[in-house]
Amino acid sequence: MRRFAISALALAARSIAADCNGHAELCDRSYSEVSFVGAHNSPFVGIGPADNQFTSVTKQLDLGVRFLQAQTQEKDGEPEMCHTSCLLEDAGPLTEYLSEIKTWVDGHANEVVTLLITNPDAIDINKYGDAFKSTGFESYVYTPPKKLALNDWPTLGELISSGKRVIVFMDYNMDTSKVPYILDEFAYYFETPFSPTEDNFIQCDIDRPDGAKADDRMYLANHNLNVEILPGVLVPDPLHSAETNSIESITSQTDICMKNYGRYPNVVLRRYDSGPEPTQWVLDPLNAADELETRAYDNDDNQICFFIDIALYRNAPKQHRNIGGFHVRCIQGSDQPHLNQRDIHQV
């Protein structure tokens, strides 16, 4: 059997400090190089057919969500947190939603948070700007100096140090000439298919925007299962949310994404995050992959096994803490294209 391991010196150099979104390792990582847990339709909490979360926005953030997606509709001329229609689901004014997030951000000085707001009714973008101003949230929001290329984004450390550590995107009907910090989602991201069902759940194809290429864009993987109850009528599937949100289910998709694009998704957008395990540690291996490079060995089954620093797994269940403080994940060697031989030493 051939075995490989990273040198003890390199292992000892790993810091357990947690300075940027929970990890010192992420402080020097560009925003566009980090994988975030996302909450789909974050304000819509409950067990009804239009609800997509079990817990409040505050609790979602406490669990590790750092990318909050939300729908708005027009109500009395103002943006309202409504799902499809305010008659179907109304979670209150945009100002209340922003105020709740701002309160959490106020109390977590080393966290970068992203919002993705939809605007299907083409509400005047200044109404959104007014909501950010009236809640005081505008003071946290990052405004790029120009249209940023993929590699132009500041690091998490730079965003936190500047105090501008909230990034805001809108899917359609934004206007950066009027509100420069509400950014065009599809100028910066592509998404995998929206509202996937069991038949097309585990894949990583480009869906939106039309004709997009992966080059120079971040990307969002929709990982939220739906059920077709009538032809063309889809509803969320809360009954299988534990399985859908499991590490096994997420990595089955993100591994395909890595094969397709040579990098992991920037966002894995989920529903029904409720614990009991903190959400963020599910994506920690994605953030660890490039920074840790690969700590690996070949075994008799031709598998590549990754030793992930337990500093990135401090919230992981005990059964994942092994091999002297390192989590181990093994896959077939032929499935992993990005081994970094610099950190691999034969012993």
Side-chain angles (χ1 to χ4, degrees):
M1 178 187 295
R2 291 184 302 145
R3 292 186 180 274
F4 298 89
I6 187 167
S7 69
L9 180 62
L11 292 177
R14 302 300 302 168
S15 170
I16 62 171
D19 295 336
C20 298
N21 282 41
H23 305 304
E25 293 85 355
L26 298 183
C27 290
D28 294 329
R29 189 79 67 85
S30 165
Y31 174 84
S32 62
E33 295 175 331
V34 178
S35 295
F36 298 97
V37 175
H40 179 241
N41 283 330
S42 58
F44 308 127
V45 178
I47 58 173
D51 294 314
N52 285 171
Q53 300 295 335
F54 289 145
T55 62
S56 69
V57 170
T58 297
K59 182 62 175 178
Q60 292 166 38
L61 289 163
D62 287 343
L63 285 168
V65 169
R66 294 295 179 268
F67 186 104
L68 296 165
Q69 185 269 341
Q71 292 188 33
T72 59
Q73 305 283 330
E74 186 172 13
K75 182 178 180 180
D76 300 326
E78 299 294 331
E80 188 87 356
M81 310 312 296
C82 295
H83 190 180
T84 306
S85 165
C86 291
L87 296 176
L88 177 67
E89 177 89 14
D90 187 341
L94 173 62
T95 51
E96 291 184 5
Y97 177 73
L98 296 180
S99 292
E100 181 176 359
I101 301 168
K102 180 184 179 294
T103 297
W104 190 92
V105 170
D106 286 341
H108 297 80
N110 292 327
E111 300 291 332
V112 175
V113 175
T114 303
L115 278 62
L116 170 57
I117 302 171
T118 71
N119 183 15
D121 290 346
I123 304 167
D124 180 358
I125 195 64
N126 289 308
K127 299 280 189 179
Y128 294 88
D130 291 343
F132 277 91
K133 289 177 183 176
S134 66
T135 57
F137 207 10
E138 186 182 56
S139 63
Y140 283 119
V141 180
Y142 172 71
T143 302
K146 61 178 182 177
K147 167 63 174 69
L148 300 180
L150 187 64
N151 296 324
D152 288 342
W153 282 89
T155 65
L156 296 198
E158 289 168 340
L159 290 167
I160 290 168
S161 296
S162 72
K164 303 295 185 180
R165 51 193 178 87
V166 174
I167 318 297
V168 182
F169 295 97
M170 183 172 281
D171 62 344
Y172 301 109
N173 302 308
M174 79 302 298
D175 186 343
T176 53
S177 70
K178 296 178 179 178
V179 183
Y181 53 79
I182 299 181
L183 308 178
D184 180 353
E185 177 198 1
F186 295 119
Y188 289 100
Y189 277 89
F190 70 84
E191 290 191 18
T192 67
F194 180 74
S195 296
T197 60
E198 187 174 8
D199 291 340
N200 70 336
F201 188 48
I202 304 301
Q203 46 79 22
C204 199
D205 297 336
I206 298 176
D207 183 50
R208 296 188 297 171
D210 290 340
K213 294 183 179 180
D215 296 344
D216 212 35
R217 276 189 172 93
M218 297 178 282
Y219 72 105
L220 181 155
N222 282 295
H223 196 85
N224 37 79
L225 187 61
N226 300 270
V227 177
E228 189 172 30
I229 57 173
L230 293 170
V233 179
L234 301 177
V235 296
D237 182 10
L239 297 180
H240 297 94
S241 60
E243 179 182 348
T244 302
N245 289 336
S246 69
I247 294 177
E248 290 76 16
S249 179
I250 289 173
T251 55
S252 67
Q253 181 180 29
T254 58
D255 285 349
I256 294 172
C257 294
M258 168 57 82
K259 286 184 187 178
N260 288 357
Y261 310 116
R263 51 192 168 97
Y264 286 114
N266 297 88
V267 182
V268 176
L269 198 64
R270 315 194 309 171
R271 297 185 183 130
Y272 306 115
D273 282 316
S274 60
E277 298 161 5
T279 297
Q280 180 59 45
W281 83 267
V282 174
L283 285 198
D284 284 343
L286 306 191
N287 287 324
D290 293 330
E291 176 67 25
L292 294 178
E293 312 307 345
T294 304
R295 283 79 158 124
Y297 67 86
D298 243 347
N299 63 24
D300 288 338
D301 296 323
N302 190 33
Q303 291 182 322
I304 300 298
C305 298
F306 301 89
F307 292 75
I308 305 298
D309 192 334
I310 201 64
L312 299 179
Y313 267 81
R314 63 193 186 287
N315 293 321
K318 289 183 179 179
Q319 64 266 29
H320 292 282
R321 301 182 183 187
N322 48 43
I323 315 297
F326 291 83
H327 172 80
V328 175
R329 176 171 173 240
C330 299
I331 62 174
Q332 288 301 119
S334 59
D335 291 339
Q336 183 59 33
H338 67 295
L339 292 181
N340 187 330
Q341 298 297 330
R342 294 175 302 169
D343 282 347
I344 299 176
H345 304 275
Q346 188 168 359
V347 296

Short mmCIF file of all heavy atoms in Angstrom, two decimals, residues 157-206:
data_model
loop_
_atom_site.label_atom_id
_atom_site.label_comp_id
_atom_site.label_asym_id
_atom_site.label_seq_id
_atom_site.Cartn_x
_atom_site.Cartn_y
_atom_site.Cartn_z
N GLY A 157 -11.44 39.55 4.75
CA GLY A 157 -10.77 40.42 5.72
C GLY A 157 -10.87 41.88 5.35
O GLY A 157 -11.08 42.74 6.23
N GLU A 158 -10.74 42.19 4.07
CA GLU A 158 -10.83 43.58 3.62
C GLU A 158 -12.25 44.12 3.79
O GLU A 158 -12.44 45.28 4.20
CB GLU A 158 -10.38 43.68 2.16
CG GLU A 158 -8.87 43.48 1.98
CD GLU A 158 -8.47 43.30 0.53
OE1 GLU A 158 -9.34 42.96 -0.32
OE2 GLU A 158 -7.28 43.49 0.23
N LEU A 159 -13.23 43.30 3.48
CA LEU A 159 -14.62 43.72 3.65
C LEU A 159 -14.92 43.99 5.11
O LEU A 159 -15.55 45.01 5.46
CB LEU A 159 -15.57 42.65 3.10
CG LEU A 159 -15.58 42.48 1.58
CD1 LEU A 159 -16.31 41.19 1.20
CD2 LEU A 159 -16.25 43.67 0.91
N ILE A 160 -14.47 43.10 5.98
CA ILE A 160 -14.72 43.27 7.41
C ILE A 160 -14.00 44.50 7.95
O ILE A 160 -14.58 45.31 8.69
CB ILE A 160 -14.32 41.99 8.17
CG1 ILE A 160 -15.30 40.86 7.82
CG2 ILE A 160 -14.27 42.22 9.67
CD1 ILE A 160 -14.85 39.49 8.27
N SER A 161 -12.76 44.69 7.56
CA SER A 161 -11.98 45.84 8.04
C SER A 161 -12.59 47.17 7.59
O SER A 161 -12.56 48.17 8.31
CB SER A 161 -10.54 45.75 7.55
OG SER A 161 -9.89 44.62 8.11
N SER A 162 -13.18 47.16 6.40
CA SER A 162 -13.77 48.40 5.87
C SER A 162 -15.11 48.72 6.49
O SER A 162 -15.60 49.85 6.38
CB SER A 162 -13.94 48.28 4.35
OG SER A 162 -15.01 47.38 4.03
N GLY A 163 -15.72 47.73 7.14
CA GLY A 163 -17.07 47.90 7.67
C GLY A 163 -18.15 47.69 6.63
O GLY A 163 -19.34 47.66 6.96
N LYS A 164 -17.76 47.52 5.37
CA LYS A 164 -18.71 47.30 4.28
C LYS A 164 -18.78 45.80 4.01
O LYS A 164 -18.19 45.30 3.04
CB LYS A 164 -18.29 48.08 3.03
CG LYS A 164 -18.14 49.58 3.26
CD LYS A 164 -19.47 50.23 3.61
CE LYS A 164 -19.34 51.75 3.71
NZ LYS A 164 -20.63 52.40 4.05
N ARG A 165 -19.48 45.09 4.84
CA ARG A 165 -19.42 43.62 4.83
C ARG A 165 -20.76 42.97 4.53
O ARG A 165 -20.98 41.80 4.84
CB ARG A 165 -18.87 43.12 6.16
CG ARG A 165 -19.54 43.67 7.39
CD ARG A 165 -18.73 43.37 8.66
NE ARG A 165 -19.35 43.93 9.85
CZ ARG A 165 -20.28 43.32 10.58
NH1 ARG A 165 -20.71 42.13 10.23
NH2 ARG A 165 -20.80 43.91 11.64
N VAL A 166 -21.65 43.73 3.90
CA VAL A 166 -22.92 43.19 3.39
C VAL A 166 -22.95 43.43 1.89
O VAL A 166 -22.77 44.56 1.42
CB VAL A 166 -24.13 43.85 4.07
CG1 VAL A 166 -25.43 43.39 3.42
CG2 VAL A 166 -24.14 43.55 5.57
N ILE A 167 -23.14 42.36 1.13
CA ILE A 167 -23.20 42.42 -0.33
C ILE A 167 -24.65 42.21 -0.73
O ILE A 167 -25.31 41.28 -0.23
CB ILE A 167 -22.32 41.35 -1.00
CG1 ILE A 167 -20.96 41.22 -0.29
CG2 ILE A 167 -22.14 41.65 -2.48
CD1 ILE A 167 -20.10 42.44 -0.34
N VAL A 168 -25.16 43.03 -1.64
CA VAL A 168 -26.57 42.95 -2.03
C VAL A 168 -26.68 42.77 -3.54
O VAL A 168 -26.08 43.53 -4.31
CB VAL A 168 -27.35 44.22 -1.60
CG1 VAL A 168 -28.83 44.09 -1.98
CG2 VAL A 168 -27.20 44.46 -0.09
N PHE A 169 -27.46 41.76 -3.93
CA PHE A 169 -27.75 41.51 -5.34
C PHE A 169 -29.25 41.54 -5.56
O PHE A 169 -30.04 41.32 -4.63
CB PHE A 169 -27.21 40.14 -5.78
CG PHE A 169 -25.72 40.01 -5.73
CD1 PHE A 169 -25.09 39.43 -4.64
CD2 PHE A 169 -24.93 40.47 -6.78
CE1 PHE A 169 -23.71 39.31 -4.59
CE2 PHE A 169 -23.55 40.35 -6.75
CZ PHE A 169 -22.94 39.77 -5.64
N MET A 170 -29.64 41.79 -6.80
CA MET A 170 -31.05 41.69 -7.21
C MET A 170 -31.09 40.97 -8.54
O MET A 170 -30.21 41.17 -9.39
CB MET A 170 -31.68 43.09 -7.32
CG MET A 170 -33.16 43.08 -7.67
SD MET A 170 -33.90 44.75 -7.57
CE MET A 170 -34.13 44.88 -5.78
N ASP A 171 -32.11 40.11 -8.71
CA ASP A 171 -32.14 39.28 -9.93
C ASP A 171 -32.50 40.09 -11.17
O ASP A 171 -31.86 39.98 -12.21
CB ASP A 171 -33.08 38.09 -9.75
CG ASP A 171 -34.53 38.48 -9.50
OD1 ASP A 171 -34.81 39.66 -9.15
OD2 ASP A 171 -35.41 37.60 -9.64
N TYR A 172 -33.53 40.91 -11.09
CA TYR A 172 -33.96 41.71 -12.24
C TYR A 172 -34.44 43.08 -11.74
O TYR A 172 -34.82 43.25 -10.58
CB TYR A 172 -35.11 41.03 -13.00
CG TYR A 172 -34.77 39.65 -13.52
CD1 TYR A 172 -35.32 38.51 -12.94
CD2 TYR A 172 -33.88 39.48 -14.58
CE1 TYR A 172 -35.01 37.24 -13.40
CE2 TYR A 172 -33.54 38.22 -15.05
CZ TYR A 172 -34.12 37.11 -14.46
OH TYR A 172 -33.79 35.86 -14.92
N ASN A 173 -34.45 44.05 -12.65
CA ASN A 173 -35.05 45.37 -12.41
C ASN A 173 -34.29 46.21 -11.38
O ASN A 173 -34.88 47.02 -10.67
CB ASN A 173 -36.52 45.22 -11.99
CG ASN A 173 -37.34 44.47 -13.03
OD1 ASN A 173 -37.32 44.83 -14.20
ND2 ASN A 173 -38.02 43.42 -12.61
N MET A 174 -32.98 46.01 -11.32
CA MET A 174 -32.14 46.90 -10.52
C MET A 174 -31.61 48.02 -11.42
O MET A 174 -31.73 47.96 -12.64
CB MET A 174 -30.98 46.13 -9.87
CG MET A 174 -29.78 45.83 -10.77
SD MET A 174 -30.18 44.87 -12.25
CE MET A 174 -30.80 43.37 -11.49
N ASP A 175 -31.03 49.05 -10.83
CA ASP A 175 -30.44 50.14 -11.61
C ASP A 175 -29.31 50.73 -10.77
O ASP A 175 -29.54 51.52 -9.85
CB ASP A 175 -31.49 51.21 -11.93
CG ASP A 175 -30.95 52.31 -12.86
OD1 ASP A 175 -29.71 52.42 -12.99
OD2 ASP A 175 -31.78 53.05 -13.43
N THR A 176 -28.09 50.33 -11.06
CA THR A 176 -26.95 50.78 -10.25
C THR A 176 -26.63 52.25 -10.44
O THR A 176 -25.87 52.83 -9.66
CB THR A 176 -25.70 49.94 -10.56
OG1 THR A 176 -25.45 49.94 -11.97
CG2 THR A 176 -25.88 48.50 -10.08
N SER A 177 -27.20 52.89 -11.46
CA SER A 177 -27.02 54.34 -11.60
C SER A 177 -27.83 55.10 -10.55
O SER A 177 -27.52 56.26 -10.24
CB SER A 177 -27.41 54.81 -13.00
OG SER A 177 -28.82 54.73 -13.19
N LYS A 178 -28.82 54.43 -9.97
CA LYS A 178 -29.67 55.05 -8.95
C LYS A 178 -29.33 54.53 -7.54
O LYS A 178 -29.29 55.32 -6.60
CB LYS A 178 -31.14 54.79 -9.26
CG LYS A 178 -31.63 55.43 -10.55
CD LYS A 178 -33.08 55.11 -10.83
CE LYS A 178 -33.57 55.78 -12.10
NZ LYS A 178 -34.99 55.43 -12.41
N VAL A 179 -29.15 53.23 -7.42
CA VAL A 179 -28.74 52.63 -6.14
C VAL A 179 -27.53 51.75 -6.45
O VAL A 179 -27.68 50.59 -6.83
CB VAL A 179 -29.87 51.80 -5.50
CG1 VAL A 179 -29.43 51.26 -4.14
CG2 VAL A 179 -31.14 52.64 -5.36
N PRO A 180 -26.33 52.29 -6.33
CA PRO A 180 -25.14 51.60 -6.85
C PRO A 180 -24.76 50.34 -6.10
O PRO A 180 -23.99 49.53 -6.64
CB PRO A 180 -24.05 52.67 -6.72
CG PRO A 180 -24.53 53.62 -5.69
CD PRO A 180 -26.02 53.64 -5.82
N TYR A 181 -25.26 50.13 -4.91
CA TYR A 181 -24.86 48.95 -4.13
C TYR A 181 -25.82 47.76 -4.30
O TYR A 181 -25.54 46.68 -3.79
CB TYR A 181 -24.72 49.29 -2.65
CG TYR A 181 -25.92 49.97 -2.03
CD1 TYR A 181 -27.04 49.25 -1.64
CD2 TYR A 181 -25.91 51.34 -1.80
CE1 TYR A 181 -28.13 49.87 -1.06
CE2 TYR A 181 -26.99 51.98 -1.22
CZ TYR A 181 -28.11 51.24 -0.85
OH TYR A 181 -29.19 51.86 -0.27
N ILE A 182 -26.94 47.94 -5.00
CA ILE A 182 -27.80 46.80 -5.32
C ILE A 182 -27.37 46.30 -6.69
O ILE A 182 -27.70 46.89 -7.72
CB ILE A 182 -29.29 47.17 -5.27
CG1 ILE A 182 -29.66 47.63 -3.86
CG2 ILE A 182 -30.15 45.97 -5.67
CD1 ILE A 182 -31.14 47.99 -3.67
N LEU A 183 -26.63 45.21 -6.69
CA LEU A 183 -25.91 44.75 -7.87
C LEU A 183 -26.74 43.78 -8.70
O LEU A 183 -27.62 43.07 -8.18
CB LEU A 183 -24.60 44.09 -7.43
CG LEU A 183 -23.70 44.90 -6.50
CD1 LEU A 183 -22.46 44.09 -6.11
CD2 LEU A 183 -23.31 46.23 -7.13
N ASP A 184 -26.43 43.73 -9.96
CA ASP A 184 -27.08 42.83 -10.91
C ASP A 184 -26.59 41.40 -10.66
O ASP A 184 -25.43 41.08 -10.93
CB ASP A 184 -26.74 43.29 -12.33
CG ASP A 184 -27.37 42.42 -13.42
OD1 ASP A 184 -27.97 41.37 -13.10
OD2 ASP A 184 -27.22 42.79 -14.60
N GLU A 185 -27.47 40.56 -10.15
CA GLU A 185 -27.07 39.18 -9.84
C GLU A 185 -26.43 38.50 -11.04
O GLU A 185 -25.36 37.88 -10.93
CB GLU A 185 -28.27 38.35 -9.38
CG GLU A 185 -27.89 36.90 -9.12
CD GLU A 185 -29.06 35.93 -9.08
OE1 GLU A 185 -30.22 36.38 -9.28
OE2 GLU A 185 -28.83 34.72 -8.85
N PHE A 186 -27.06 38.60 -12.19
CA PHE A 186 -26.62 37.80 -13.32
C PHE A 186 -25.46 38.43 -14.09
O PHE A 186 -24.95 37.84 -15.04
CB PHE A 186 -27.80 37.48 -14.23
CG PHE A 186 -28.82 36.60 -13.57
CD1 PHE A 186 -30.12 37.04 -13.38
CD2 PHE A 186 -28.46 35.36 -13.07
CE1 PHE A 186 -31.06 36.23 -12.75
CE2 PHE A 186 -29.38 34.55 -12.43
CZ PHE A 186 -30.68 34.98 -12.27
N ALA A 187 -25.02 39.60 -13.67
CA ALA A 187 -23.75 40.12 -14.15
C ALA A 187 -22.59 39.48 -13.40
O ALA A 187 -21.45 39.49 -13.87
CB ALA A 187 -23.69 41.64 -13.98
N TYR A 188 -22.90 38.88 -12.23
CA TYR A 188 -21.86 38.31 -11.38
C TYR A 188 -22.02 36.81 -11.14
O TYR A 188 -21.07 36.15 -10.76
CB TYR A 188 -21.87 39.02 -10.02
CG TYR A 188 -21.35 40.43 -10.08
CD1 TYR A 188 -22.22 41.52 -10.12
CD2 TYR A 188 -19.98 40.69 -10.11
CE1 TYR A 188 -21.75 42.82 -10.16
CE2 TYR A 188 -19.50 41.98 -10.15
CZ TYR A 188 -20.37 43.04 -10.18
OH TYR A 188 -19.90 44.33 -10.23
N TYR A 189 -23.22 36.27 -11.33
CA TYR A 189 -23.51 34.87 -11.01
C TYR A 189 -24.19 34.17 -12.19
O TYR A 189 -24.88 34.80 -12.99
CB TYR A 189 -24.50 34.78 -9.85
CG TYR A 189 -23.92 34.89 -8.46
CD1 TYR A 189 -23.77 36.14 -7.86
CD2 TYR A 189 -23.54 33.76 -7.74
CE1 TYR A 189 -23.26 36.26 -6.58
CE2 TYR A 189 -23.04 33.87 -6.47
CZ TYR A 189 -22.89 35.12 -5.89
OH TYR A 189 -22.39 35.23 -4.62
N PHE A 190 -24.04 32.87 -12.22
CA PHE A 190 -25.02 32.03 -12.91
C PHE A 190 -25.62 31.08 -11.89
O PHE A 190 -25.07 30.87 -10.80
CB PHE A 190 -24.43 31.28 -14.11
CG PHE A 190 -23.46 30.16 -13.78
CD1 PHE A 190 -23.91 28.89 -13.47
CD2 PHE A 190 -22.08 30.38 -13.81
CE1 PHE A 190 -23.02 27.85 -13.19
CE2 PHE A 190 -21.18 29.36 -13.53
CZ PHE A 190 -21.66 28.08 -13.21
N GLU A 191 -26.79 30.52 -12.22
CA GLU A 191 -27.48 29.60 -11.33
C GLU A 191 -27.72 28.27 -12.02
O GLU A 191 -27.88 28.20 -13.24
CB GLU A 191 -28.84 30.16 -10.91
CG GLU A 191 -28.81 31.33 -9.98
CD GLU A 191 -30.19 31.63 -9.40
OE1 GLU A 191 -31.08 30.74 -9.46
OE2 GLU A 191 -30.39 32.75 -8.89
N THR A 192 -27.76 27.21 -11.21
CA THR A 192 -28.21 25.91 -11.70
C THR A 192 -29.73 25.92 -11.75
O THR A 192 -30.37 26.85 -11.26
CB THR A 192 -27.71 24.78 -10.79
OG1 THR A 192 -28.33 24.89 -9.50
CG2 THR A 192 -26.18 24.84 -10.64
N PRO A 193 -30.37 24.90 -12.36
CA PRO A 193 -31.83 24.94 -12.54
C PRO A 193 -32.60 25.21 -11.26
O PRO A 193 -32.30 24.67 -10.20
CB PRO A 193 -32.13 23.56 -13.11
CG PRO A 193 -30.91 23.22 -13.89
CD PRO A 193 -29.76 23.76 -13.07
N PHE A 194 -33.59 26.05 -11.41
CA PHE A 194 -34.43 26.48 -10.30
C PHE A 194 -35.55 25.45 -10.06
O PHE A 194 -36.03 24.82 -10.99
CB PHE A 194 -35.03 27.84 -10.65
CG PHE A 194 -35.91 28.43 -9.61
CD1 PHE A 194 -35.38 28.96 -8.44
CD2 PHE A 194 -37.28 28.46 -9.77
CE1 PHE A 194 -36.18 29.51 -7.47
CE2 PHE A 194 -38.11 29.00 -8.80
CZ PHE A 194 -37.56 29.53 -7.65
N SER A 195 -35.95 25.28 -8.80
CA SER A 195 -37.03 24.37 -8.41
C SER A 195 -36.82 22.95 -8.93
O SER A 195 -37.68 22.37 -9.59
CB SER A 195 -38.38 24.90 -8.90
OG SER A 195 -38.69 26.12 -8.28
N PRO A 196 -35.66 22.34 -8.64
CA PRO A 196 -35.42 20.98 -9.11
C PRO A 196 -36.32 19.97 -8.41
O PRO A 196 -36.71 20.13 -7.25
CB PRO A 196 -33.95 20.74 -8.75
CG PRO A 196 -33.69 21.66 -7.61
CD PRO A 196 -34.53 22.87 -7.85
N THR A 197 -36.67 18.93 -9.15
CA THR A 197 -37.41 17.80 -8.59
C THR A 197 -36.48 16.59 -8.52
O THR A 197 -35.32 16.67 -8.93
CB THR A 197 -38.63 17.46 -9.46
OG1 THR A 197 -38.18 17.11 -10.78
CG2 THR A 197 -39.59 18.64 -9.55
N GLU A 198 -36.98 15.49 -8.01
CA GLU A 198 -36.12 14.31 -7.83
C GLU A 198 -35.49 13.87 -9.14
O GLU A 198 -34.36 13.38 -9.16
CB GLU A 198 -36.95 13.17 -7.22
CG GLU A 198 -36.13 11.95 -6.83
CD GLU A 198 -36.95 10.91 -6.11
OE1 GLU A 198 -38.18 11.06 -6.05
OE2 GLU A 198 -36.36 9.93 -5.61
N ASP A 199 -36.21 14.06 -10.25
CA ASP A 199 -35.71 13.59 -11.54
C ASP A 199 -34.49 14.37 -12.04
O ASP A 199 -33.70 13.86 -12.81
CB ASP A 199 -36.82 13.66 -12.60
CG ASP A 199 -37.93 12.65 -12.33
OD1 ASP A 199 -37.67 11.67 -11.60
OD2 ASP A 199 -39.04 12.86 -12.84
N ASN A 200 -34.35 15.63 -11.63
CA ASN A 200 -33.22 16.43 -12.12
C ASN A 200 -32.49 17.11 -10.97
O ASN A 200 -31.91 18.18 -11.14
CB ASN A 200 -33.70 17.48 -13.14
CG ASN A 200 -34.51 18.59 -12.51
OD1 ASN A 200 -35.10 18.41 -11.45
ND2 ASN A 200 -34.57 19.74 -13.16
N PHE A 201 -32.50 16.49 -9.80
CA PHE A 201 -31.99 17.14 -8.59
C PHE A 201 -30.47 17.21 -8.57
O PHE A 201 -29.88 18.25 -8.34
CB PHE A 201 -32.51 16.41 -7.36
CG PHE A 201 -32.19 17.10 -6.07
CD1 PHE A 201 -32.42 18.46 -5.92
CD2 PHE A 201 -31.67 16.40 -5.00
CE1 PHE A 201 -32.15 19.11 -4.74
CE2 PHE A 201 -31.39 17.04 -3.81
CZ PHE A 201 -31.63 18.39 -3.68
N ILE A 202 -29.81 16.08 -8.80
CA ILE A 202 -28.36 16.03 -8.65
C ILE A 202 -27.70 16.28 -9.99
O ILE A 202 -27.42 15.36 -10.76
CB ILE A 202 -27.90 14.69 -8.04
CG1 ILE A 202 -28.61 14.47 -6.70
CG2 ILE A 202 -26.39 14.68 -7.86
CD1 ILE A 202 -28.35 15.57 -5.67
N GLN A 203 -27.51 17.55 -10.31
CA GLN A 203 -26.81 17.97 -11.52
C GLN A 203 -26.32 19.39 -11.27
O GLN A 203 -26.62 19.99 -10.24
CB GLN A 203 -27.71 17.89 -12.75
CG GLN A 203 -29.10 18.44 -12.59
CD GLN A 203 -29.20 19.94 -12.68
OE1 GLN A 203 -28.33 20.59 -13.24
NE2 GLN A 203 -30.24 20.51 -12.12
N CYS A 204 -25.54 19.93 -12.20
CA CYS A 204 -24.97 21.27 -11.99
C CYS A 204 -24.90 22.03 -13.32
O CYS A 204 -23.91 22.66 -13.64
CB CYS A 204 -23.58 21.15 -11.35
SG CYS A 204 -23.00 22.69 -10.56
N ASP A 205 -25.99 21.96 -14.09
CA ASP A 205 -26.04 22.65 -15.37
C ASP A 205 -26.29 24.14 -15.18
O ASP A 205 -26.88 24.57 -14.19
CB ASP A 205 -27.15 22.06 -16.25
CG ASP A 205 -26.91 20.59 -16.57
OD1 ASP A 205 -25.74 20.17 -16.53
OD2 ASP A 205 -27.90 19.87 -16.83
N ILE A 206 -25.89 24.93 -16.15
CA ILE A 206 -26.18 26.36 -16.14
C ILE A 206 -27.60 26.58 -16.63
O ILE A 206 -27.98 26.12 -17.72
CB ILE A 206 -25.18 27.13 -17.02
CG1 ILE A 206 -23.75 26.97 -16.49
CG2 ILE A 206 -25.56 28.60 -17.09
CD1 ILE A 206 -22.70 27.62 -17.36
#
